[in-house]
Amino acid sequence: MAPAAPASATKCSSGIVISVLLPLALLMAAAGTSSAQLSTGFYSSSCPGVYDAVKSVVQSAVASEQRMGASIVRLFFHDCFVQGCDASLLLDDTPSFQGEKMANPNNGSVRGFEVIDAVKSAVEKVCPGVVSCADILAIAARDSVVILGGPTWDVKVGRRDSTTASFSGANNNIPPPTSGLANLTSLFAAQGLSQKDMVALSGAHTIGQARCTNFRAHVYNDTNIDGSFARTRQSGCPRSSSGSSGDNNLAPLDLQTPTVFDNNYYKNLVCKKGLLHSDQELFNGGATDALVQSYASGQSEFFSDFVTGMVKMGDITPLTGSGGQIRKNCRRVN
């Protein structure tokens, strides 16, 4: 018989200690996709200066507004879940072209496009016409995580930029904040990401802010939420959504360290202090509870699995070779 797994405990601010037995192995299906065409050395001779150029602009942007780091990570996520990581999200609408920016998950919500524009300009100065906007987004997302205290990794590059976008894909593929565990799992599985990848990638909510319109129902209607936490969030998010009453009022996704990339997001979930309904679904008596508890007690395990998830997400159906193009301006096709 295998020895008993060690108990792990997370202290909630109420003084309650929640203990669970961690299984020795968390066996999650790994149905990921990979792309042999992407490589970490793709620009080693054609544009070795790309990484310094990206990092310099991202560092400056995050120094000006720490929330921007989270916004850039989210741009990458919302891009990769629609047509793969192809910078389709960056394309502006025109009278003859419908992009993804006005789709429900993005409209009035995704931000940071001007930072990506600034990165693109800096990269073009170093090596014009070489680096795709899709790769710039992937590198900028990594840099954002690192700048805010998270793990680093070598970004696979070699993606090309799409000439198309999918408004319907943006509306249907990106998990809404009202999602239950089954829906979350299925939307991630559709992108070749396992439930373990999903829980690890959700840890990006250790940084950033959410709008009242996205957490109102959770803090007023759900029962799987700490009472005092719910009242605190209600104070900045009026119950009525008539007109636009408070819809854009912001609250931190991680109430403890909203501008530090750490594992406090999971500690919050164990204490029933997830801001979004979809966050708390990861620790609500279901199949992902043990993994949340494991990340809450072990930041290095979270960091390792987060990196694995980010690399897998970056591999989602990229355009390579002669597919797509290298956009001169990330907002429009050449």
Side-chain angles (χ1 to χ4, degrees):
M1 181 180 290
S8 171
T10 292
K11 284 189 172 62
C12 297
S13 57
S14 62
I16 299 168
V17 176
I18 299 176
S19 295
V20 295
L21 288 176
L22 295 183
L24 288 172
L26 294 162
L27 300 174
M28 298 283 178
T33 57
S34 67
S35 171
Q37 296 100 325
L38 300 183
S39 70
T40 57
F42 188 83
Y43 295 117
S44 57
S45 58
S46 61
C47 189
V50 60
Y51 300 102
D52 287 342
V54 174
K55 186 178 180 181
S56 173
V57 176
V58 174
Q59 270 185 320
S60 173
V62 175
S64 299
E65 185 202 13
Q66 288 183 300
R67 179 188 176 204
M68 188 53 72
S71 300
I72 291 171
V73 173
R74 188 158 177 255
L75 282 179
F76 183 56
F77 169 47
H78 282 216
D79 180 42
C80 290
F81 264 56
V82 183
Q83 297 190 164
C85 311
D86 62 356
S88 58
L89 174 59
L90 304 181
L91 293 170
D92 283 341
D93 285 16
T94 72
S96 59
F97 179 88
Q98 184 178 40
E100 298 166 13
K101 292 182 178 179
M102 299 305 288
N104 287 331
N106 297 331
N107 187 13
S109 179
V110 288
R111 60 197 295 277
F113 297 109
E114 69 288 345
V115 176
I116 301 304
D117 292 339
V119 174
K120 177 66 170 173
S121 295
V123 171
E124 286 296 299
K125 287 190 179 78
V126 179
C127 11
V130 174
V131 181
S132 66
C133 299
D135 280 344
I136 282 172
L137 200 46
I139 298 165
R142 185 272 311 272
D143 289 349
S144 296
V145 169
V146 174
I147 290 163
L148 294 175
T152 190
W153 63 96
D154 292 331
V155 178
K156 290 164 70 173
V157 285
R159 300 170 190 82
R160 288 168 66 84
D161 298 323
S162 69
T163 55
T164 62
S166 177
F167 181 80
S168 64
N171 275 326
N172 295 320
N173 300 358
I174 297 168
T178 52
S179 298
L181 184 60
N183 189 41
L184 287 169
T185 302
S186 131
L187 287 170
F188 275 77
Q191 303 296 338
L193 296 167
S194 69
Q195 198 171 56
K196 183 175 188 175
D197 297 326
M198 175 187 81
V199 176
L201 288 168
S202 296
H205 283 181
T206 179
I207 51 175
Q209 311 262 332
R211 297 182 301 152
C212 164
T213 185
N214 286 328
F215 63 81
R216 178 183 280 121
H218 180 53
V219 301
Y220 281 104
N221 303 335
D222 288 349
T223 55
N224 60 338
I225 185 170
D226 176 83
S228 71
F229 172 68
R231 286 188 293 277
T232 299
R233 288 295 161 250
Q234 288 168 5
S235 69
C237 180
R239 182 188 288 271
S240 167
S241 57
S242 59
S244 59
S245 172
D247 277 3
N248 293 322
N249 293 357
L250 297 172
L253 285 157
D254 170 1
L255 80 159
Q256 298 187 66
T257 50
T259 58
V260 179
F261 198 99
D262 56 23
N263 67 334
N264 279 337
Y265 167 78
Y266 300 102
K267 296 178 183 179
N268 297 335
L269 296 186
V270 171
C271 296
K272 296 188 176 179
K273 294 178 180 178
L275 183 62
L276 304 178
H277 176 84
S278 53
D279 288 329
Q280 198 57 56
E281 278 289 297
L282 302 181
F283 191 85
N284 193 36
T288 53
D289 281 20
L291 192 54
V292 168
Q293 180 68 64
S294 190
Y295 292 160
S297 59
Q299 182 165 280
S300 59
E301 182 188 2
F302 159 50
F303 278 10
S304 173
D305 289 352
F306 179 80
V307 165
T308 299
M310 286 294 279
V311 173
K312 279 178 73 174
M313 187 167 73
D315 277 346
I316 299 173
T317 56
L319 293 165
T320 56
S322 59
Q325 61 183 207
I326 305 297
R327 281 185 220 142
K328 294 181 176 71
N329 178 330
C330 292
R331 293 175 181 265
R332 57 177 181 264
V333 297
N334 295 342

